[in-house]
Amino acid sequence: MISVDEPNFQTTLPPLTEELVLKLWSQTYNTNGKPDWAHIFPYYAEEIVFQDPIQKVVGKTDFMAMCNRLTKRCQELKMDITSIAIVENVIFMQWTMTMIFRKTPSTPIYGCSKLSLNAAGLIARQRDYYDLWGDIFANVPAMKRAYPRFMRKHFG
């Protein structure tokens, strides 16, 4: 069990297993409205370092604020975890995240997350990997062909 001490709040959480991660993350993203991360926030350490291709966020307060900003921007958000593995203190997930913003078609983004757990079993680091622009531009008619050509020309 994971013991979490926060001001005026103490609880014991079950350890993160493949089954629990799948259950928790499937409750986070849904097709019936806004995403909600409240039930997974207790699994994040106060000193969480989150990084993705766009940003780096340090600290649980800033991480929660980032999640809440995404909630405000998305009309709908869904995540399908296609594979998951846990080795010692590292959880690796491959996923497809589909976002719907105002007045835009649904946009699937394919990526993966690496969650590193601290000694208490809480998520101390989260690194998300994805090709944001390639997946988004695939749904924009003028960019659908231009972006892959640009990437091949300049990056092989």
Side-chain angles (χ1 to χ4, degrees), residues 87-105:
V87 178
E88 296 178 8
N89 68 333
V90 175
I91 300 170
F92 181 81
M93 299 184 290
Q94 185 175 0
W95 42 260
T96 303
M97 184 169 55
T98 305
M99 296 185 284
I100 299 176
F101 298 101
R102 288 176 234 109
K103 300 179 183 179
T104 62

Side-chain angles (χ1 to χ4, degrees), residues 41 46 48 50 55-69:
F41 286 149
E46 289 299 321
I48 176 69
F50 171 87
Q55 61 198 331
K56 181 176 183 179
V57 176
V58 178
K60 191 171 183 176
T61 300
D62 289 343
F63 174 74
M64 290 169 44
M66 176 199 66
C67 292
N68 292 330
R69 284 191 303 274

Side-chain angles (χ1 to χ4, degrees), residues 25 51-53 78-84 91-99 107-114 126-132 134-135:
W25 264 254
Q51 187 172 358
D52 68 10
K78 180 183 176 200
M79 178 177 275
D80 293 314
I81 298 173
T82 55
S83 63
I84 184 169
I91 300 170
F92 181 81
M93 299 184 290
Q94 185 175 0
W95 42 260
T96 303
M97 184 169 55
T98 305
M99 296 185 284
T107 304
I109 296 174
Y110 305 92
C112 58
S113 296
K114 178 184 177 187
Q126 179 172 340
R127 181 63 166 103
D128 287 358
Y129 300 91
Y130 54 88
D131 177 11
L132 177 65
D135 292 335

